[in-house]
Amino acid sequence: MRRHPRDPVEVAVTELTVVQAVNRALHEAMRADPDVVVLGEDVGVNGGVFRATDGLLKEFGADRVLDTPLSETGIVGTAIGMALYGLKPVAEIQFLDFIYPAFDQIVSELAKLRYRSGGQFPCHVVIRTPYGGGIKGGLYHSQSTEAYFCHTAGLKVVVPSTPADAKGLLLSAVADEDPVIFLEPKRIYRAVSGEVPDGDHRVPFGQARTVRDGTDVSVFAYGAMVPPSAEAATTLAGEGISAEVVDLRSLVPLDEAAVLASVAKTGRAVVVHEAARFCGFGAELAALLAEKAFYSLKAPIARVTGYDTPFPYALEHVYLPGPERIAAAVRDAVRAN
Amino acid sequence: MSTTSARPQSEPASPDGLSEPRLLGAYRTMALVRALDERCLALQRQGRIGFYAPHAGQEAALIGSALALETDDWVFPAYRELAVALVRGVPLQAIVDQLFGNADDLVKGRQMPNHFSFRDQHFVSASSPIGTQIPQAVGAAMAVRYRQAPAVTITYFGDGATSSNDFHAGMNFAGVFRAPTIFFCQNNGWAISLPRERQTRSATLAAKAEAYGFPGVVVDGNDVRAVHAAVRSARGRAVRGDGPTMIEAQVYRFGPHSTSDDPTRYRPEAQVAAAREHDPVARLKADLVAVGRLDEPGDARIWEESRAAIAAAVAHAEKAALVDPLSLFDDVFARRSPRLEEERGQCAATLGTPSRSP
């Protein structure tokens, strides 16, 4: 354990990977509140296919850690019922790619229960699910379809990119009053490790994080696209280009103030995500900047994204944005005037 | 009543059976619901409410099942269950206000008629997608068991819903987790235009329960006592920890699926006329008359009182204020996000209304 350097009060920290931080958050949430239950496929005995729920069954028992039949509809549907009755279920969907059987439960039910009941039946379910490419998962273990959920009123959509945020955002999700889609960047589950504050460390939703300060251009990213964006910024610094990298952390709610403040300073924006470009989250960011930062802009808004194709297997390195594509887009933006 | 499982229906009719005074109460509710149907179909045709899903033919199934429940039980309805809400003590006015979507409507005018939410009576918010409430009822039952509460959940759905993936998911989870749930299927013969025999080749809908590892029971849905006994028995099983039961109440939908439906396009009038021979309301009336609990003048008074109560509720609902336009932005989340605050301000400007922030 070490002290967390940025915290004014001395807080003990532990070096963890992203997936370990998720696991730590689940343990702490379940210890703190007996109403927190975990359910999903292979989450109990097996500890989750990525080991995110490892150890929970042993500590909390089969009444609180439920290995469910293989049905996403059943997982989310029963989680909704548990939440309506007053429990705080944290459901795992094994891959975001497999969430669609539960789409009706999420979009028609979970997202709308508070609204359609006039506030009588709020429904707080956290749905954790690994998302994104980079693990040679092909069409069905790689997709980034966060935009579907961002488009539905009533859902919060959160994407951590560091171990500390994985724990802090997940503890905030469990403590929230609204349904949360918690997207875990599986590509960096183990690739990134960092100091994670011990104890009840919460990161609020709607507060973006400045990964790196800069003055020439703003790079907006989230999840597994944050590390390559930071790497591109380091490369560009050697060329005399000062790129600011902003990690959005939560897509709904979006920290619009941070996005607008960054572009007011730099005048240029590059949006990075691994999801397909058309109607992707970057389109919403670009529209926001066009509506509210038009007079700050010195260059066209650029998007570095996955292509408008299904997610490939052999060509995943071609599909996914990497530091080179991000750096190239930044250079173009800086040269544009 | 027959059962598809080896488990016998051993629950005694007494003391759980319906007493004659309760049967008379059931009849009053049946009359109220039948009269409400007639009034609401007219209100919809006059353009005074937007939509209505009638209950005629299903009153005994609805009311008999609801009478078998306890206060702490939770109901996960579809959209043809207002009779259940009435039995659970929801005031008629609250139901009529929802049909009008006025400022007194507990769901704040956000849903079409018949999509009720009554928190105080544990009557969970209804939606339009078919079958989605089924796994939710199972999840709530799992929570009931986790809390060790002496309660059950019941979910209502129709014959059509037995083809939905949510039905399968809910039944399967309930079996695996031995959830204290009652699956109450009102098989009314028709899923809009699709007849029961085209919904499944299964001999009965209740037979499906066997594959999920728990009993399925077929009951005459026109017999309020039989329905009550079946639900009471299923409830006893659930509370004892013996798990779920599916009940198929065989009924017939006399009217259209909803006010948007024209059943003459898909079923012969003769079939409807034959079904009306087994009208559950007429049947209970005959039973009550036979035992001397009801006579013709008493019956006429019940219908007169029902119509008067409905007329008063409708008049009151039509006098209520309209929904506040800016309530559009409430209850999306627990608190309005900055984005919703911004849109609310824009909407207020469009409407020329001052944006009040409560």
Side-chain angles (χ1 to χ4, degrees):
Chain A
M1 281 193 194
R2 274 172 282 163
R3 302 287 167 198
H4 195 256
R6 279 203 299 268
D7 208 310
V9 186
E10 292 207 334
V11 173
V13 297
T14 308
E15 185 89 7
L16 299 172
T17 63
V18 169
V19 73
Q20 286 170 337
V22 167
N23 184 268
R24 183 65 63 95
L26 291 171
H27 273 92
E28 292 181 12
M30 293 187 79
R31 277 178 207 141
D33 186 345
D35 282 341
V36 177
V37 297
V38 164
L39 70 160
E41 294 157 12
D42 308 302
V43 299
V45 175
N46 195 39
V49 295
F50 289 100
R51 305 291 174 259
T53 55
D54 199 24
L56 295 178
L57 178 66
K58 191 171 175 223
E59 181 169 344
F60 302 105
D63 287 344
R64 294 182 67 191
V65 183
L66 295 102
D67 272 321
T68 67
L70 206 163
S71 167
E72 287 75 17
T73 306
I75 294 167
V76 177
T78 53
I80 289 171
M82 291 175 192
L84 290 170
Y85 199 75
L87 300 187
K88 294 174 185 167
V90 180
E92 177 177 305
I93 298 296
Q94 206 160 74
F95 287 82
L96 177 59
D97 312 70
F98 303 147
I99 206 167
Y100 308 108
F103 205 58
D104 197 19
Q105 286 289 344
I106 295 170
V107 169
S108 305
E109 302 290 318
L110 181 59
K112 293 175 172 58
L113 266 156
R114 181 190 292 277
Y115 195 78
R116 78 182 196 211
S117 66
Q120 293 180 83
F121 288 102
C123 191
H124 170 224
V125 173
V126 177
I127 300 176
R128 295 178 38 248
T129 184
Y131 86 97
I135 62 152
K136 283 279 178 191
L139 285 158
Y140 303 113
H141 299 77
S142 306
Q143 296 168 88
S144 251
T145 55
E146 59 277 9
Y148 293 149
F149 304 98
C150 295
H151 190 63
T152 298
L155 300 175
K156 291 179 175 172
V157 181
V158 179
V159 196
S161 74
T162 67
D165 280 1
K167 179 179 170 186
L169 290 168
L170 185 51
L171 286 180
S172 290
V174 175
D176 209 90
E177 297 171 80
D178 295 309
V180 181
I181 307 294
F182 192 85
L183 299 172
E184 298 173 1
K186 60 179 172 286
R187 179 192 194 175
I188 55 170
Y189 257 156
R190 290 179 178 81
V192 182
S193 72
E195 292 183 346
V196 179
D198 293 345
D200 190 14
H201 163 67
R202 293 190 205 175
V203 173
F205 297 166
Q207 288 189 14
R209 179 178 68 99
T210 303
V211 179
R212 179 191 181 104
D213 284 314
T215 52
D216 295 331
V217 56
S218 303
V219 179
F220 298 107
Y222 50 90
M225 288 294 102
V226 173
S229 298
E231 189 183 331
T234 303
T235 304
L236 292 160
E239 301 169 18
I241 295 172
S242 170
E244 178 154 294
V245 179
V246 177
D247 175 1
L248 296 175
R249 284 173 156 169
S250 65
L251 307 183
V252 182
L254 175 66
D255 189 351
E256 289 191 13
V259 171
L260 295 172
S262 181
V263 172
K265 179 171 67 171
T266 64
R268 298 177 185 86
V270 174
V271 181
V272 185
H273 58 61
E274 52 187 294
R277 175 171 309 200
F278 193 77
C279 288
F281 192 75
E284 187 59 46
L285 277 184
L288 171 72
L289 293 169
E291 285 169 356
K292 296 186 178 173
F294 185 79
Y295 298 107
S296 300
L297 289 171
K298 301 173 196 160
I301 299 158
R303 284 184 285 168
V304 185
T305 68
Y307 296 106
D308 293 320
T309 66
F311 196 100
Y313 176 67
L315 296 176
E316 124 177 302
H317 61 290
V318 175
Y319 179 93
L320 283 171
E324 297 78 16
R325 270 172 70 193
I326 297 166
V330 170
R331 287 186 202 103
D332 286 349
V334 172
R335 281 196 215 104
N337 68 324
Chain B
M1 203 192 308
S2 66
T3 169
T4 57
S5 82
R7 196 178 288 266
Q9 291 292 308
S10 56
E11 194 85 354
S14 176
D16 276 348
L18 284 175
S19 62
E20 281 175 13
R22 288 189 86 196
L23 277 176
L24 187 60
Y27 181 71
R28 284 180 180 283
T29 310
M30 281 193 192
L32 182 62
V33 173
R34 183 67 61 90
L36 187 63
D37 266 10
E38 287 163 6
R39 187 77 195 102
C40 288
L41 291 172
L43 288 170
Q44 195 276 337
R45 282 196 292 273
Q46 294 160 4
R48 290 157 73 184
I49 62 174
F51 172 89
Y52 190 75
H55 306 75
Q58 302 183 208
E59 294 94 339
L62 292 164
I63 291 161
S65 60
L67 283 168
L69 303 175
E70 301 291 339
T71 308
D72 288 342
D73 297 342
W74 279 50
V75 176
F76 287 75
Y79 41 73
R80 209 185 295 281
E81 278 88 33
L82 67 78
V84 175
L86 281 170
V87 171
R88 292 187 67 76
V90 173
L92 175 64
Q93 188 65 55
I95 285 168
V96 173
D97 284 335
Q98 197 281 332
L99 301 176
F100 279 87
N102 61 28
D104 295 338
D105 172 14
L106 286 170
V107 305
K108 306 183 185 177
R110 295 200 180 122
Q111 290 230 66
M112 289 169 73
N114 296 81
H115 294 63
F116 303 101
S117 295
F118 299 112
R119 174 99 208 173
D120 290 349
Q121 290 79 16
H122 302 154
F123 189 93
V124 175
S125 169
S127 68
S128 306
I130 295 300
T132 48
Q133 73 279 16
I134 298 172
Q136 296 170 12
V138 176
M142 290 161 73
V144 165
R145 215 173 62 156
Y146 178 66
R147 290 262 172 89
Q148 300 183 323
V152 305
T153 69
I154 185 168
T155 180
Y156 289 84
F157 53 93
D159 41 307
T162 62
S163 296
S164 72
N165 59 355
D166 292 83
F167 169 80
H168 166 62
M171 294 279 282
N172 192 43
F173 273 54
V176 167
F177 291 105
R178 293 177 76 79
T181 310
I182 302 166
F183 296 88
F184 193 82
C185 177
Q186 294 185 81
N187 171 11
N188 69 14
W190 294 90
I192 303 188
S193 68
L194 198 76
R196 151 66 184 87
E197 59 272 19
R198 289 284 305 279
Q199 201 66 247
T200 174
R201 291 282 287 179
S202 186
T204 66
L205 301 177
K208 291 174 180 247
E210 189 177 351
Y212 297 102
F214 55 86
V217 175
V218 176
V219 64
D220 177 358
N222 295 320
D223 181 344
V224 70
R225 277 172 287 211
V227 171
H228 178 269
V231 175
R232 201 66 205 162
S233 170
R235 190 186 182 281
R237 251 179 64 77
V239 170
R240 283 193 303 272
D242 293 339
T245 305
M246 178 175 170
I247 296 169
E248 174 188 352
Q250 294 184 338
V251 293
Y252 191 89
R253 158 163 63 77
F254 295 164
H257 164 73
S258 75
T259 47
S260 309
D261 177 38
D262 172 13
T264 63
R265 291 177 64 88
Y266 54 79
R267 67 184 189 186
E269 265 310 305
Q271 188 186 81
V272 184
R276 281 187 184 276
E277 294 293 310
H278 307 285
D279 184 332
V281 179
R283 178 166 169 176
L284 183 55
K285 177 188 166 184
D287 287 355
L288 289 167
V289 168
V291 296
R293 278 274 166 191
L294 188 65
D295 55 16
E296 285 301 335
D299 184 47
R301 234 179 358 261
I302 286 173
W303 288 93
E304 201 178 299
E305 285 165 7
S306 297
R307 292 188 182 108
I310 292 163
V314 167
H316 191 271
E318 289 194 310
K319 275 193 285 233
L322 299 176
V323 173
D324 173 6
L326 296 182
S327 70
L328 180 65
F329 302 95
D330 297 339
D331 303 318
V332 180
F333 296 110
R335 271 165 289 285
R336 284 194 295 271
S337 60
R339 170 159 285 269
L340 283 169
E341 285 292 355
E342 182 182 335
E343 291 183 3
R344 187 174 182 273
Q346 290 164 351
C347 179
T350 305
L351 296 168
T353 324
S355 151
R356 289 168 290 132
S357 250

